Amino acid sequence: MKKWIFAFMLMLGVMAIFVPKMTEAASTGQLIIINKSTNELAFFENGELIRAFPVGTGRTTDLTPEGRFPIVNKIKNRPYYKDGIPGGDPRNPLGDRWLGLDARGTYGTTYAIHGNNNSASIGNYVSAGCVRMHNSDIRWLFDRVKLQTDVVIVRSSRTFEQVATANGYNLLPPIKVQVDGKAIHVSADPFMRDNRVLVPMRSIFNALGASVRWNAQTKTVTASKDGKNIQLTIGSKRAKINGQTYLLDVAPSIENNHTFVPTRFVSEALGATVQWNKASRTVSLTSPKKPDPGPTTRPINVTLNGNAVAGDAFMIEGVAMVPMRNIFEWLGVSFTYNSQSQTVHASHQGRTMIVTAGEKTATINQLSTTLPAAPIIKEGRLYLPARAVTETFSGGISWDAATNKLHITVNQ
């Protein structure tokens, strides 16, 4: 009787040990999805996709089990018992990290996610049933993933997010995209991959005013705007801007018949700025400011005391601007020009003018005066408001709209 009581108490102890682990499986906040159709592994944490990795799976479809299996052990440097290769040995086909799965009743002894000694096998159907990763990738995952985290293995054309949702994993709300403060319509939900936001190709390029071409044969996207040409290739982390190669953090991809491109790279390549608000899960793009073309100028003809003035003159915001040197030389005005301060000192028959390029305030006949427009340096020549000339040297102005001609008279 005592033996039966002892056995019963032992069984309760075992249950006490394992029940918390079962609860932990639902509360790790993590999920791993392995898609045998693409030979990729996705790691989710706290409701979002953190990273995706290439993997190698079974040589035939039945070798790598499909379903939902918890991680039940984590082993460093597991020996390869079949050939007697010790753990940590470079020849070990298991690499140096092992995440054992409770699959097909083997409880982490047979099926696992592990490293390998043949990196060329990753991405292919090569194993006897385990899931192979690059050694650097499995080390990252090993350090991050918790025991009892579920691993979902499928063959599917759906996105990782769709598979996660179908398996009861609570994802964070969809990512929103704004351009210049306004939400834009996207043809499919953006998603995070390797801490980068990917958005549908046409949605982002159209919003930024770029034309886009798709080459189905080479799986290449080409976008153009304002003399910039961006080229991206599906599955490649190499992109080009005007022929120069750049390395991406995450490759463009095709998900559920939609082509996705990395938001930050394409936006900044087109001159936009990018901000990510984690709390609202919003990526905000600000279009590049167009260069200020400056005031519109209109060419005009000028006569001085009835004689045509050589050199271009123009009207800007209703103010006639005339070439200083041509006017002064015709009138016989002596002047000096300081190239550092861009200031002109002119005098003639006791009348004086001091003007500076870019400044409306001038000194005319010893009095401070506000000019109708600031003098301008254009193509190496200084232009003055015509009225500055007549006010300094005593004269008048008349405008003939029919002939587009400005008549200046100066008393001599």
Side-chain angles (χ1 to χ4, degrees):
M1 186 66 176
K2 289 182 179 180
K3 290 182 179 180
W4 283 105
I5 293 173
F6 176 77
F8 179 72
M9 295 299 293
L10 181 62
M11 182 178 68
L12 289 177
V14 170
M15 289 177 64
I17 293 172
F18 285 101
V19 168
K21 288 188 176 181
M22 293 173 65
T23 304
E24 184 185 359
S27 62
T28 65
Q30 299 178 339
L31 179 70
I32 291 175
I33 298 173
I34 297 165
N35 192 342
K36 290 162 55 176
S37 293
T38 58
N39 269 350
E40 287 183 298
L41 178 151
F43 174 69
F44 287 82
E45 188 171 42
N46 298 326
E48 62 183 328
L49 177 58
I50 304 300
R51 286 191 67 177
F53 305 93
V55 295
T57 55
R59 288 187 296 271
T60 60
T61 57
D62 62 311
L63 287 175
T64 299
E66 296 175 23
R68 186 169 184 148
F69 317 104
I71 294 173
V72 291
N73 57 41
K74 297 172 63 175
I75 303 172
K76 291 183 179 180
N77 297 322
R78 185 182 190 274
Y80 188 57
Y81 299 109
K82 180 180 177 182
D83 293 339
I85 301 174
D89 191 305
R91 298 171 300 155
N92 193 322
L94 306 179
D96 55 15
R97 297 291 188 277
W98 170 280
L99 298 173
L101 305 178
D102 184 5
R104 294 177 177 170
T106 59
Y107 204 74
T109 60
T110 305
Y111 297 98
I113 305 168
H114 62 73
N116 75 102
N117 65 344
N118 179 15
S119 61
S121 67
I122 304 304
N124 300 311
Y125 300 100
V126 291
S127 77
C130 285
V131 177
R132 298 182 183 182
M133 297 182 71
H134 288 296
N135 288 323
S136 58
D137 292 343
I138 185 64
R139 289 171 192 147
W140 183 95
L141 185 62
F142 186 95
D143 291 339
R144 187 110 177 213
V145 73
K146 302 173 184 176
L147 284 173
Q148 300 303 316
T149 292
D150 283 334
V151 177
V152 175
I153 303 177
V154 296
R155 283 179 295 167
S156 176
S157 60
R158 294 181 297 177
T159 65
F160 283 128
E161 287 81 1
Q162 289 172 330
V163 174
T165 300
N167 280 270
Y169 187 74
N170 292 323
L171 293 172
L172 292 173
I175 294 172
K176 294 173 287 188
V177 182
Q178 292 182 347
V179 176
D180 297 330
K182 295 182 180 179
I184 68 167
H185 171 74
V186 288
S187 56
D189 287 339
F191 61 88
M192 295 282 290
R193 179 163 293 173
D194 294 346
N195 291 319
R196 293 291 181 264
V197 178
L198 283 89
V199 292
M201 168 188 74
R202 294 195 182 276
S203 300
I204 189 70
F205 286 133
N206 289 342
L208 292 174
S211 60
V212 59
R213 300 190 308 275
W214 165 250
N215 188 320
Q217 191 171 17
T218 61
K219 293 187 177 180
T220 300
V221 178
T222 304
S224 303
K225 181 186 178 184
D226 297 336
K228 279 193 175 180
N229 292 290
I230 307 166
Q231 190 177 83
L232 305 103
T233 302
I234 300 303
S236 173
K237 287 189 176 182
R238 294 185 179 275
K240 291 184 178 181
I241 302 177
N242 290 346
Q244 185 173 350
T245 300
Y246 293 83
L247 190 63
L248 305 175
D249 293 322
V250 60
S253 65
I254 296 177
E255 309 285 347
N256 203 23
N257 296 320
H258 290 275
T259 301
F260 288 82
V261 293
T263 309
R264 184 171 294 278
F265 176 80
V266 299
S267 300
E268 292 180 348
L270 292 173
T273 56
V274 183
Q275 288 186 321
W276 166 247
N277 187 317
K278 186 175 181 180
S280 64
R281 291 178 61 77
T282 301
V283 57
S284 299
L285 314 179
T286 303
S287 300
K289 291 183 178 179
K290 294 182 179 179
D292 185 0
T296 302
T297 62
R298 178 167 60 89
I300 60 174
N301 299 311
V302 177
T303 66
L304 179 58
N305 291 349
N307 299 287
V309 175
D312 297 329
F314 54 88
M315 193 79 74
I316 180 169
E317 295 183 346
V319 178
M321 306 293 288
V322 295
M324 179 200 72
R325 183 178 292 274
N326 298 63
I327 295 290
F328 285 178
E329 287 180 349
W330 197 93
L331 290 173
V333 174
S334 61
F335 65 92
T336 60
Y337 175 67
N338 186 319
S339 59
Q340 284 190 329
S341 63
Q342 297 183 329
T343 300
V344 174
H345 291 253
S347 62
H348 182 63
Q349 297 180 351
R351 294 178 175 273
T352 60
M353 172 196 292
I354 303 174
V355 296
T356 301
E359 295 185 10
K360 280 190 173 184
T361 302
T363 302
I364 293 178
N365 297 324
Q366 288 79 50
L367 295 175
S368 178
T369 304
T370 300
L371 302 176
I376 296 172
I377 295 176
K378 185 179 178 183
E379 297 178 358
R381 305 173 71 184
L382 183 67
Y383 291 81
L384 299 171
R387 289 200 177 277
V389 177
T390 57
E391 288 180 13
T392 303
F393 303 112
S394 183
I397 292 176
S398 65
W399 168 250
D400 187 343
T403 60
N404 193 44
K405 189 171 289 186
L406 182 74
H407 299 283
I408 303 174
T409 58
V410 174
N411 299 326
Q412 291 182 298

